[in-house]
Amino acid sequence: MPELPEVETIKRTLSPLLKGRLIKEIKVGLGKLLLPGEKEFIARVAGRRFLDLKRKGKYLICLLSGGTAVIVHFRLTGQLIYVNGQKPLPPHTHLRFFLDRGELLYVDLRQFGRLEALAAKDLKDHPQLKELGPEPFALNERDFYGLLQKSSRPLKALLLDQKVISGLGNIYVDESLFRAGLHPKRPGKELSLPEASRLLAVIKEILAEAISDGGSSVRNYVDGQGQRGRFQEKHRVYGRRGKPCPRCGQTLAYTKIAQRGTHFCPACQK
DNA sequence: GGGCTCCTGGAT
DNA sequence: ATCCAGGAGCCC
């Protein structure tokens, strides 16, 4: 589910609601979501306050009092939703964090997401976070060109690889390659510097637009207040297989690359 | 690198 | 009944 713009939106919507809040009690419906384990997670987190929220790639990082941190990875269908007042719980609510004001729910239809409690000082040594490549916003044209030059893998696979560049997922890779006019199967090392520069520019542009539109809600995604995003209305290729290309009118194609459904225009993307 | 796996549910 | 889904860890 959430890619960089969605996690950023979750962070922005939850921050004002959670900062300073005390976690009074945690009710666990599905303990396998918790690392290093249910008991240890509760021991580390219960009784702490939210101090700040950060984002790294597609990871949300909650900094708590007492030098504690919680890393949230939503995978495909995870949601963190703040509620205040008694409404019926959403289906697939697996965790409830009772706060001194309101409640934070972790909801996850497919149960792939994970929440990990650890000492904040250990964040820098975390095996997944440590391996993340640079964020698009932190890259310049030369560095990005250098990253692509190192591999003959298809652009689609390269951009999805969080160790190469962090934050992009299936939607934003397909949308970026379309706007850049690049075929998803093009090997990275074949790109010229101008092509790489253009690709990086459209990636930054699309991510910024998607953030300002509150992310893309294709099916499940909602922000920290349960609101859907609006950027899906601006998708030009993702989820539009068989429809006419918005640029040239030719039928949009669909194929599998790196085991992921891939949408593109066979005429516009070379 | 590419397959399989973890899950539930919607579309066809 | 079958395929597909905003992800990525683990296995050759």
Side-chain angles (χ1 to χ4, degrees):
Chain A
M1 132 203 219
E3 307 180 32
L4 187 153
E6 289 76 34
V7 180
E8 180 65 25
T9 303
I10 292 167
K11 187 196 83 177
R12 291 183 186 188
T13 50
L14 284 180
S15 281
L17 296 167
L18 294 185
K19 275 189 196 178
R21 295 280 64 74
L22 172 71
I23 301 166
K24 294 196 302 186
E25 191 191 341
I26 305 168
K27 191 171 170 192
V28 179
L30 196 58
K32 72 170 183 182
L33 303 181
L34 300 176
L35 301 172
E38 177 177 340
K39 280 189 97 163
E40 190 60 26
F41 185 94
I42 291 171
R44 290 179 187 182
V45 171
R48 310 287 190 192
R49 283 181 190 275
F50 284 97
L51 299 182
D52 202 7
L53 300 187
K54 307 271 189 198
R55 181 191 57 73
K56 215 167 183 293
K58 304 176 193 174
Y59 292 85
L60 181 73
I61 300 168
C62 307
L63 299 176
L64 308 183
S65 56
T68 302
V70 173
I71 302 171
V72 184
H73 199 300
F74 299 95
R75 293 290 176 92
L76 286 164
T77 54
Q79 305 170 323
L80 268 182
I81 305 172
Y82 177 88
V83 292
N84 200 350
Q86 53 280 20
K87 276 154 266 174
L89 291 176
H92 310 290
T93 297
H94 302 305
L95 305 169
R96 302 174 71 181
F97 297 84
F98 295 94
L99 310 175
D100 52 355
R101 185 193 316 147
E103 190 180 328
L104 182 67
L105 309 178
Y106 182 75
V107 180
D108 195 342
L109 184 151
R110 293 180 70 181
Q111 308 172 13
F112 291 163
R114 292 295 181 267
L115 295 86
E116 177 173 4
L118 70 167
K121 65 174 171 49
D122 294 331
L123 281 169
K124 62 179 184 343
D125 303 315
H126 188 269
Q128 274 83 259
L129 294 183
K130 203 170 54 179
E131 294 296 317
L132 285 180
E135 299 224 347
F137 296 120
L139 279 169
N140 62 41
E141 301 176 349
R142 274 279 164 200
D143 294 339
F144 185 58
Y145 177 65
L147 285 180
L148 300 180
Q149 283 294 304
K150 283 197 294 194
S151 171
S152 53
R153 293 164 71 194
L155 289 173
K156 171 84 179 195
L158 271 176
L159 297 179
L160 280 176
D161 187 341
Q162 302 302 299
K163 293 176 179 143
V164 175
I165 183 170
S166 59
L168 296 173
N170 214 26
I171 292 176
Y172 297 104
V173 169
D174 283 6
E175 292 296 318
S176 298
L177 290 172
F178 173 76
R179 282 205 209 178
L182 293 168
H183 197 289
K185 282 188 176 159
R186 275 282 289 284
K189 61 164 58 161
E190 271 187 16
L191 261 63
S192 65
L193 179 58
E195 285 177 318
S197 301
R198 163 117 178 101
L199 177 55
L200 180 62
V202 301
I203 288 172
K204 291 180 182 176
E205 180 184 297
I206 287 174
L207 293 178
E209 273 181 55
I211 290 169
S212 75
D213 274 349
S216 298
S217 292
V218 172
R219 3 175 7 124
N220 295 282
Y221 166 72
V222 291
D223 70 17
Q225 298 179 88
Q227 302 294 309
R228 289 168 57 82
R230 297 170 303 282
F231 193 71
Q232 67 281 5
E233 294 158 21
K234 298 183 185 169
H235 293 174
R236 298 187 191 167
V237 289
Y238 185 84
R240 302 189 68 250
R241 73 173 103 166
K243 294 185 175 165
C245 168
R247 183 167 164 273
C248 77
Q250 178 154 344
T251 302
L252 293 173
Y254 176 87
T255 186
K256 286 257 194 234
I257 303 175
Q259 285 93 248
R260 307 299 301 278
T262 301
H263 314 73
F264 66 104
C265 174
C268 295
Q269 294 177 248
K270 299 294 182 195

